[in-house]
Amino acid sequence: RWARASLRQLEGAEPLVSGHTRRPSATIEDWPSLPVRAVTLSLPNSRWGYPNDPPVDPTFFAEFLRDMVVELKLNFVVLMLDQGIKLEGHPEIAGPAAWPKETVLKLVQDLRAEGIEVAPLLNSLGHADWINASHPELREDGDLQTICTSHPVMKQVVGEIYGEVLRLLQPRYFHIGMDE
């Protein structure tokens, strides 16, 4: 797989001698030097409250993932979902440009087919405007960015959202943010 990516990079390179279209012969021996080569990316539609953002075509994002993740030989993507996915159990959290969960599942499956592990990320505690915008009762002291962990329904609401994402994507890893 990695050698195939290197070959595609060679094919796209400028010729060594101007005017020549042939490439010199080469033997490619390629494997990663690090066991984990990761990137964190947000779904391009996961911003809440920005209705003037142009919608992003999932096909465009899939091509971006192929060009940036597969071709750069990464093997792990932390994919921030937040309000970029339409969930059946909590449709109120979906942002104005959210994608159906089947679309997100297809992106994840395509990455897995390339040998790339995906860990979904749903920001928890802080950076929680994705959930607090539609659940103001969960705001810590009215702060849009912070979930009140002692609110009586917090565990239920967040647990239901986590559960639906886990059942859909069946990841080995799940990221809850917590960079606070």
Side-chain angles (χ1 to χ4, degrees):
R1 177 174 66 240
W2 308 119
R4 198 170 51 241
S6 293
L7 181 59
R8 285 191 301 264
Q9 290 169 352
L10 275 174
E11 289 170 345
E14 292 293 322
L16 296 175
V17 178
S18 179
H20 287 264
T21 57
R22 294 185 58 200
R23 301 282 180 248
S25 64
T27 300
I28 299 173
E29 294 180 19
D30 195 357
W31 56 87
S33 59
L34 298 171
V36 177
R37 295 156 326 279
V39 65
T40 299
L41 296 169
S42 178
L43 286 179
N45 59 351
S46 67
R47 292 172 18 133
W48 182 271
Y50 296 89
N52 295 327
D53 284 355
V56 177
D57 181 359
T59 304
F60 172 83
F61 190 62
E63 290 171 6
F64 167 79
L65 290 173
R66 187 176 50 257
D67 292 345
M68 296 305 297
V69 176
V70 176
E71 293 302 315
L72 291 176
K73 305 174 194 172
L74 302 179
N75 66 357
F76 199 99
V77 172
V78 177
L79 188 60
M80 188 182 312
L81 304 178
D82 292 347
Q83 66 276 359
I85 183 172
K86 294 177 184 176
L87 298 173
E88 292 169 8
H90 285 274
E92 74 280 359
I93 68 162
W99 290 335
K101 63 184 191 176
E102 295 78 16
T103 300
V104 176
L105 177 60
K106 174 82 167 81
L107 289 169
V108 170
Q109 289 171 333
D110 288 351
L111 287 171
R112 286 181 180 151
E114 293 287 346
I116 298 165
E117 180 116 31
V118 179
L121 185 156
L122 289 169
N123 277 302
S124 306
L125 189 59
H127 304 290
D129 55 328
W130 68 274
I131 191 170
N132 283 341
S134 57
H135 285 276
E137 73 277 9
L138 296 180
R139 297 175 185 175
E140 176 76 38
D141 296 328
D143 180 8
L144 179 65
Q145 293 294 322
T146 308
I147 292 178
C148 176
T149 57
S150 63
H151 192 281
V153 299
M154 186 283 298
K155 185 176 179 181
Q156 176 189 346
V157 171
V158 172
E160 289 169 355
I161 294 167
Y162 284 4
E164 188 170 350
V165 168
L166 290 169
R167 284 187 301 279
L168 174 69
L169 302 179
Q170 300 180 2
R172 191 162 63 148
Y173 301 101
F174 184 77
H175 198 315
I176 61 170
M178 304 296 285
D179 65 341
E180 294 77 23

PDB file of all heavy atoms in Angstrom, residues 114-141:
ATOM      1  N   GLU A 114      -8.571   1.758   3.103  1.00  0.00           N
ATOM      2  CA  GLU A 114      -7.182   2.137   2.794  1.00  0.00           C
ATOM      3  C   GLU A 114      -6.238   1.830   3.956  1.00  0.00           C
ATOM      4  O   GLU A 114      -5.083   2.248   3.952  1.00  0.00           O
ATOM      5  CB  GLU A 114      -7.113   3.636   2.456  1.00  0.00           C
ATOM      6  CG  GLU A 114      -7.816   4.008   1.182  1.00  0.00           C
ATOM      7  CD  GLU A 114      -7.065   3.552  -0.062  1.00  0.00           C
ATOM      8  OE1 GLU A 114      -5.873   3.177   0.025  1.00  0.00           O
ATOM      9  OE2 GLU A 114      -7.683   3.559  -1.141  1.00  0.00           O
ATOM     10  N   GLY A 115      -6.738   1.126   4.979  1.00  0.00           N
ATOM     11  CA  GLY A 115      -5.894   0.772   6.122  1.00  0.00           C
ATOM     12  C   GLY A 115      -5.751   1.888   7.142  1.00  0.00           C
ATOM     13  O   GLY A 115      -4.802   1.889   7.930  1.00  0.00           O
ATOM     14  N   ILE A 116      -6.680   2.823   7.144  1.00  0.00           N
ATOM     15  CA  ILE A 116      -6.599   3.974   8.043  1.00  0.00           C
ATOM     16  C   ILE A 116      -7.629   3.823   9.151  1.00  0.00           C
ATOM     17  O   ILE A 116      -8.813   3.637   8.890  1.00  0.00           O
ATOM     18  CB  ILE A 116      -6.816   5.285   7.260  1.00  0.00           C
ATOM     19  CG1 ILE A 116      -5.703   5.418   6.221  1.00  0.00           C
ATOM     20  CG2 ILE A 116      -6.862   6.479   8.204  1.00  0.00           C
ATOM     21  CD1 ILE A 116      -5.966   6.443   5.163  1.00  0.00           C
ATOM     22  N   GLU A 117      -7.157   3.899  10.377  1.00  0.00           N
ATOM     23  CA  GLU A 117      -8.027   3.819  11.553  1.00  0.00           C
ATOM     24  C   GLU A 117      -8.678   5.182  11.767  1.00  0.00           C
ATOM     25  O   GLU A 117      -8.040   6.223  11.575  1.00  0.00           O
ATOM     26  CB  GLU A 117      -7.192   3.452  12.777  1.00  0.00           C
ATOM     27  CG  GLU A 117      -7.968   3.345  14.038  1.00  0.00           C
ATOM     28  CD  GLU A 117      -7.957   1.942  14.600  1.00  0.00           C
ATOM     29  OE1 GLU A 117      -6.966   1.233  14.403  1.00  0.00           O
ATOM     30  OE2 GLU A 117      -8.951   1.588  15.240  1.00  0.00           O
ATOM     31  N   VAL A 118      -9.948   5.184  12.162  1.00  0.00           N
ATOM     32  CA  VAL A 118     -10.665   6.429  12.407  1.00  0.00           C
ATOM     33  C   VAL A 118     -11.219   6.425  13.828  1.00  0.00           C
ATOM     34  O   VAL A 118     -11.867   5.463  14.239  1.00  0.00           O
ATOM     35  CB  VAL A 118     -11.829   6.618  11.402  1.00  0.00           C
ATOM     36  CG1 VAL A 118     -12.585   7.903  11.697  1.00  0.00           C
ATOM     37  CG2 VAL A 118     -11.300   6.623   9.978  1.00  0.00           C
ATOM     38  N   ALA A 119     -10.931   7.492  14.548  1.00  0.00           N
ATOM     39  CA  ALA A 119     -11.498   7.690  15.881  1.00  0.00           C
ATOM     40  C   ALA A 119     -12.420   8.902  15.813  1.00  0.00           C
ATOM     41  O   ALA A 119     -11.960  10.018  15.563  1.00  0.00           O
ATOM     42  CB  ALA A 119     -10.405   7.927  16.920  1.00  0.00           C
ATOM     43  N   PRO A 120     -13.728   8.705  15.992  1.00  0.00           N
ATOM     44  CA  PRO A 120     -14.619   9.865  16.006  1.00  0.00           C
ATOM     45  C   PRO A 120     -14.363  10.718  17.248  1.00  0.00           C
ATOM     46  O   PRO A 120     -14.018  10.193  18.304  1.00  0.00           O
ATOM     47  CB  PRO A 120     -16.020   9.248  16.036  1.00  0.00           C
ATOM     48  CG  PRO A 120     -15.823   7.866  16.549  1.00  0.00           C
ATOM     49  CD  PRO A 120     -14.432   7.452  16.196  1.00  0.00           C
ATOM     50  N   LEU A 121     -14.517  12.023  17.095  1.00  0.00           N
ATOM     51  CA  LEU A 121     -14.327  12.949  18.199  1.00  0.00           C
ATOM     52  C   LEU A 121     -15.610  13.754  18.392  1.00  0.00           C
ATOM     53  O   LEU A 121     -16.132  14.329  17.445  1.00  0.00           O
ATOM     54  CB  LEU A 121     -13.156  13.888  17.912  1.00  0.00           C
ATOM     55  CG  LEU A 121     -12.733  14.845  19.024  1.00  0.00           C
ATOM     56  CD1 LEU A 121     -11.273  15.242  18.835  1.00  0.00           C
ATOM     57  CD2 LEU A 121     -13.565  16.086  19.140  1.00  0.00           C
ATOM     58  N   LEU A 122     -16.111  13.741  19.606  1.00  0.00           N
ATOM     59  CA  LEU A 122     -17.207  14.620  20.014  1.00  0.00           C
ATOM     60  C   LEU A 122     -16.705  15.389  21.226  1.00  0.00           C
ATOM     61  O   LEU A 122     -16.437  14.807  22.279  1.00  0.00           O
ATOM     62  CB  LEU A 122     -18.458  13.812  20.383  1.00  0.00           C
ATOM     63  CG  LEU A 122     -19.175  13.145  19.223  1.00  0.00           C
ATOM     64  CD1 LEU A 122     -20.221  12.164  19.717  1.00  0.00           C
ATOM     65  CD2 LEU A 122     -19.825  14.168  18.318  1.00  0.00           C
ATOM     66  N   ASN A 123     -16.528  16.690  21.071  1.00  0.00           N
ATOM     67  CA  ASN A 123     -16.004  17.502  22.167  1.00  0.00           C
ATOM     68  C   ASN A 123     -16.915  17.433  23.374  1.00  0.00           C
ATOM     69  O   ASN A 123     -18.126  17.585  23.261  1.00  0.00           O
ATOM     70  CB  ASN A 123     -15.823  18.950  21.715  1.00  0.00           C
ATOM     71  CG  ASN A 123     -14.524  19.145  20.993  1.00  0.00           C
ATOM     72  OD1 ASN A 123     -13.467  18.880  21.540  1.00  0.00           O
ATOM     73  ND2 ASN A 123     -14.599  19.583  19.750  1.00  0.00           N
ATOM     74  N   SER A 124     -16.318  17.193  24.508  1.00  0.00           N
ATOM     75  CA  SER A 124     -17.064  17.045  25.754  1.00  0.00           C
ATOM     76  C   SER A 124     -16.495  17.996  26.798  1.00  0.00           C
ATOM     77  O   SER A 124     -15.323  18.343  26.764  1.00  0.00           O
ATOM     78  CB  SER A 124     -16.943  15.607  26.250  1.00  0.00           C
ATOM     79  OG  SER A 124     -17.333  14.705  25.234  1.00  0.00           O
ATOM     80  N   LEU A 125     -17.317  18.373  27.689  1.00  0.00           N
ATOM     81  CA  LEU A 125     -17.027  19.327  28.746  1.00  0.00           C
ATOM     82  C   LEU A 125     -16.866  20.721  28.159  1.00  0.00           C
ATOM     83  O   LEU A 125     -17.769  21.526  28.229  1.00  0.00           O
ATOM     84  CB  LEU A 125     -15.812  18.924  29.583  1.00  0.00           C
ATOM     85  CG  LEU A 125     -15.576  19.758  30.845  1.00  0.00           C
ATOM     86  CD1 LEU A 125     -16.762  19.696  31.774  1.00  0.00           C
ATOM     87  CD2 LEU A 125     -14.309  19.350  31.546  1.00  0.00           C
ATOM     88  N   GLY A 126     -15.722  21.014  27.551  1.00  0.00           N
ATOM     89  CA  GLY A 126     -15.519  22.308  26.902  1.00  0.00           C
ATOM     90  C   GLY A 126     -15.648  22.173  25.395  1.00  0.00           C
ATOM     91  O   GLY A 126     -15.770  21.072  24.866  1.00  0.00           O
ATOM     92  N   HIS A 127     -15.629  23.284  24.694  1.00  0.00           N
ATOM     93  CA  HIS A 127     -15.835  23.318  23.242  1.00  0.00           C
ATOM     94  C   HIS A 127     -17.150  22.624  22.890  1.00  0.00           C
ATOM     95  O   HIS A 127     -17.266  21.958  21.871  1.00  0.00           O
ATOM     96  CB  HIS A 127     -14.677  22.668  22.489  1.00  0.00           C
ATOM     97  CG  HIS A 127     -13.347  23.259  22.816  1.00  0.00           C
ATOM     98  ND1 HIS A 127     -12.992  24.523  22.424  1.00  0.00           N
ATOM     99  CD2 HIS A 127     -12.301  22.761  23.518  1.00  0.00           C
ATOM    100  CE1 HIS A 127     -11.778  24.780  22.874  1.00  0.00           C
ATOM    101  NE2 HIS A 127     -11.338  23.732  23.535  1.00  0.00           N
ATOM    102  N   ALA A 128     -18.122  22.774  23.763  1.00  0.00           N
ATOM    103  CA  ALA A 128     -19.365  22.014  23.653  1.00  0.00           C
ATOM    104  C   ALA A 128     -20.511  22.817  23.052  1.00  0.00           C
ATOM    105  O   ALA A 128     -21.670  22.461  23.240  1.00  0.00           O
ATOM    106  CB  ALA A 128     -19.756  21.485  25.026  1.00  0.00           C
ATOM    107  N   ASP A 129     -20.200  23.859  22.304  1.00  0.00           N
ATOM    108  CA  ASP A 129     -21.274  24.634  21.676  1.00  0.00           C
ATOM    109  C   ASP A 129     -22.098  23.767  20.737  1.00  0.00           C
ATOM    110  O   ASP A 129     -23.272  24.026  20.508  1.00  0.00           O
ATOM    111  CB  ASP A 129     -20.723  25.861  20.956  1.00  0.00           C
ATOM    112  CG  ASP A 129     -19.652  25.523  19.938  1.00  0.00           C
ATOM    113  OD1 ASP A 129     -18.904  24.554  20.148  1.00  0.00           O
ATOM    114  OD2 ASP A 129     -19.565  26.239  18.928  1.00  0.00           O
ATOM    115  N   TRP A 130     -21.514  22.705  20.199  1.00  0.00           N
ATOM    116  CA  TRP A 130     -22.226  21.801  19.288  1.00  0.00           C
ATOM    117  C   TRP A 130     -23.442  21.174  19.948  1.00  0.00           C
ATOM    118  O   TRP A 130     -24.425  20.884  19.291  1.00  0.00           O
ATOM    119  CB  TRP A 130     -21.288  20.723  18.748  1.00  0.00           C
ATOM    120  CG  TRP A 130     -20.818  19.731  19.779  1.00  0.00           C
ATOM    121  CD1 TRP A 130     -19.740  19.865  20.609  1.00  0.00           C
ATOM    122  CD2 TRP A 130     -21.411  18.478  20.093  1.00  0.00           C
ATOM    123  NE1 TRP A 130     -19.628  18.776  21.422  1.00  0.00           N
ATOM    124  CE2 TRP A 130     -20.648  17.896  21.126  1.00  0.00           C
ATOM    125  CE3 TRP A 130     -22.500  17.777  19.615  1.00  0.00           C
ATOM    126  CZ2 TRP A 130     -20.934  16.656  21.683  1.00  0.00           C
ATOM    127  CZ3 TRP A 130     -22.793  16.533  20.169  1.00  0.00           C
ATOM    128  CH2 TRP A 130     -22.012  15.987  21.185  1.00  0.00           C
ATOM    129  N   ILE A 131     -23.401  20.960  21.255  1.00  0.00           N
ATOM    130  CA  ILE A 131     -24.543  20.380  21.961  1.00  0.00           C
ATOM    131  C   ILE A 131     -25.306  21.446  22.743  1.00  0.00           C
ATOM    132  O   ILE A 131     -26.527  21.427  22.826  1.00  0.00           O
ATOM    133  CB  ILE A 131     -24.115  19.204  22.863  1.00  0.00           C
ATOM    134  CG1 ILE A 131     -25.328  18.445  23.391  1.00  0.00           C
ATOM    135  CG2 ILE A 131     -23.227  19.672  24.000  1.00  0.00           C
ATOM    136  CD1 ILE A 131     -24.986  17.142  24.072  1.00  0.00           C
ATOM    137  N   ASN A 132     -24.578  22.406  23.285  1.00  0.00           N
ATOM    138  CA  ASN A 132     -25.220  23.435  24.110  1.00  0.00           C
ATOM    139  C   ASN A 132     -26.078  24.409  23.309  1.00  0.00           C
ATOM    140  O   ASN A 132     -26.963  25.053  23.858  1.00  0.00           O
ATOM    141  CB  ASN A 132     -24.182  24.210  24.911  1.00  0.00           C
ATOM    142  CG  ASN A 132     -23.684  23.426  26.098  1.00  0.00           C
ATOM    143  OD1 ASN A 132     -24.310  22.475  26.541  1.00  0.00           O
ATOM    144  ND2 ASN A 132     -22.539  23.821  26.618  1.00  0.00           N
ATOM    145  N   ALA A 133     -25.827  24.527  22.003  1.00  0.00           N
ATOM    146  CA  ALA A 133     -26.652  25.424  21.186  1.00  0.00           C
ATOM    147  C   ALA A 133     -28.105  24.959  21.170  1.00  0.00           C
ATOM    148  O   ALA A 133     -29.025  25.769  21.163  1.00  0.00           O
ATOM    149  CB  ALA A 133     -26.098  25.496  19.762  1.00  0.00           C
ATOM    150  N   SER A 134     -28.298  23.646  21.159  1.00  0.00           N
ATOM    151  CA  SER A 134     -29.660  23.110  21.140  1.00  0.00           C
ATOM    152  C   SER A 134     -30.113  22.595  22.504  1.00  0.00           C
ATOM    153  O   SER A 134     -31.271  22.214  22.662  1.00  0.00           O
ATOM    154  CB  SER A 134     -29.772  21.997  20.092  1.00  0.00           C
ATOM    155  OG  SER A 134     -28.837  20.988  20.368  1.00  0.00           O
ATOM    156  N   HIS A 135     -29.211  22.575  23.462  1.00  0.00           N
ATOM    157  CA  HIS A 135     -29.544  22.148  24.831  1.00  0.00           C
ATOM    158  C   HIS A 135     -29.029  23.192  25.820  1.00  0.00           C
ATOM    159  O   HIS A 135     -28.080  22.941  26.561  1.00  0.00           O
ATOM    160  CB  HIS A 135     -28.918  20.780  25.136  1.00  0.00           C
ATOM    161  CG  HIS A 135     -29.619  19.644  24.483  1.00  0.00           C
ATOM    162  ND1 HIS A 135     -30.733  19.057  25.033  1.00  0.00           N
ATOM    163  CD2 HIS A 135     -29.381  19.009  23.311  1.00  0.00           C
ATOM    164  CE1 HIS A 135     -31.142  18.081  24.235  1.00  0.00           C
ATOM    165  NE2 HIS A 135     -30.345  18.048  23.178  1.00  0.00           N
ATOM    166  N   PRO A 136     -29.669  24.361  25.860  1.00  0.00           N
ATOM    167  CA  PRO A 136     -29.183  25.416  26.753  1.00  0.00           C
ATOM    168  C   PRO A 136     -29.212  25.016  28.224  1.00  0.00           C
ATOM    169  O   PRO A 136     -28.456  25.554  29.033  1.00  0.00           O
ATOM    170  CB  PRO A 136     -30.105  26.598  26.472  1.00  0.00           C
ATOM    171  CG  PRO A 136     -31.272  26.051  25.741  1.00  0.00           C
ATOM    172  CD  PRO A 136     -30.828  24.782  25.085  1.00  0.00           C
ATOM    173  N   GLU A 137     -30.058  24.047  28.558  1.00  0.00           N
ATOM    174  CA  GLU A 137     -30.120  23.601  29.954  1.00  0.00           C
ATOM    175  C   GLU A 137     -28.823  22.926  30.400  1.00  0.00           C
ATOM    176  O   GLU A 137     -28.552  22.809  31.599  1.00  0.00           O
ATOM    177  CB  GLU A 137     -31.309  22.644  30.152  1.00  0.00           C
ATOM    178  CG  GLU A 137     -31.140  21.252  29.549  1.00  0.00           C
ATOM    179  CD  GLU A 137     -31.458  21.142  28.059  1.00  0.00           C
ATOM    180  OE1 GLU A 137     -31.665  22.185  27.394  1.00  0.00           O
ATOM    181  OE2 GLU A 137     -31.502  20.013  27.549  1.00  0.00           O
ATOM    182  N   LEU A 138     -27.987  22.503  29.452  1.00  0.00           N
ATOM    183  CA  LEU A 138     -26.734  21.824  29.804  1.00  0.00           C
ATOM    184  C   LEU A 138     -25.555  22.782  29.954  1.00  0.00           C
ATOM    185  O   LEU A 138     -24.453  22.349  30.254  1.00  0.00           O
ATOM    186  CB  LEU A 138     -26.398  20.759  28.735  1.00  0.00           C
ATOM    187  CG  LEU A 138     -27.388  19.606  28.609  1.00  0.00           C
ATOM    188  CD1 LEU A 138     -26.928  18.632  27.532  1.00  0.00           C
ATOM    189  CD2 LEU A 138     -27.594  18.905  29.929  1.00  0.00           C
ATOM    190  N   ARG A 139     -25.789  24.059  29.740  1.00  0.00           N
ATOM    191  CA  ARG A 139     -24.688  25.027  29.826  1.00  0.00           C
ATOM    192  C   ARG A 139     -24.256  25.236  31.274  1.00  0.00           C
ATOM    193  O   ARG A 139     -25.078  25.461  32.155  1.00  0.00           O
ATOM    194  CB  ARG A 139     -25.108  26.365  29.228  1.00  0.00           C
ATOM    195  CG  ARG A 139     -25.422  26.279  27.763  1.00  0.00           C
ATOM    196  CD  ARG A 139     -25.944  27.586  27.225  1.00  0.00           C
ATOM    197  NE  ARG A 139     -26.345  27.426  25.835  1.00  0.00           N
ATOM    198  CZ  ARG A 139     -26.925  28.370  25.133  1.00  0.00           C
ATOM    199  NH1 ARG A 139     -27.177  29.557  25.665  1.00  0.00           N
ATOM    200  NH2 ARG A 139     -27.258  28.145  23.882  1.00  0.00           N
ATOM    201  N   GLU A 140     -22.970  25.187  31.500  1.00  0.00           N
ATOM    202  CA  GLU A 140     -22.398  25.463  32.818  1.00  0.00           C
ATOM    203  C   GLU A 140     -22.438  26.972  33.037  1.00  0.00           C
ATOM    204  O   GLU A 140     -21.780  27.732  32.318  1.00  0.00           O
ATOM    205  CB  GLU A 140     -20.954  24.971  32.893  1.00  0.00           C
ATOM    206  CG  GLU A 140     -20.229  25.283  34.184  1.00  0.00           C
ATOM    207  CD  GLU A 140     -20.641  24.377  35.332  1.00  0.00           C
ATOM    208  OE1 GLU A 140     -20.863  23.177  35.092  1.00  0.00           O
ATOM    209  OE2 GLU A 140     -20.753  24.881  36.461  1.00  0.00           O
ATOM    210  N   ASP A 141     -23.252  27.408  33.988  1.00  0.00           N
ATOM    211  CA  ASP A 141     -23.396  28.837  34.306  1.00  0.00           C
ATOM    212  C   ASP A 141     -23.697  29.678  33.062  1.00  0.00           C
ATOM    213  O   ASP A 141     -23.212  30.791  32.921  1.00  0.00           O
ATOM    214  CB  ASP A 141     -22.148  29.376  35.011  1.00  0.00           C
ATOM    215  CG  ASP A 141     -21.912  28.725  36.367  1.00  0.00           C
ATOM    216  OD1 ASP A 141     -22.911  28.372  37.033  1.00  0.00           O
ATOM    217  OD2 ASP A 141     -20.737  28.561  36.749  1.00  0.00           O
TER     218      ASP A 141
END
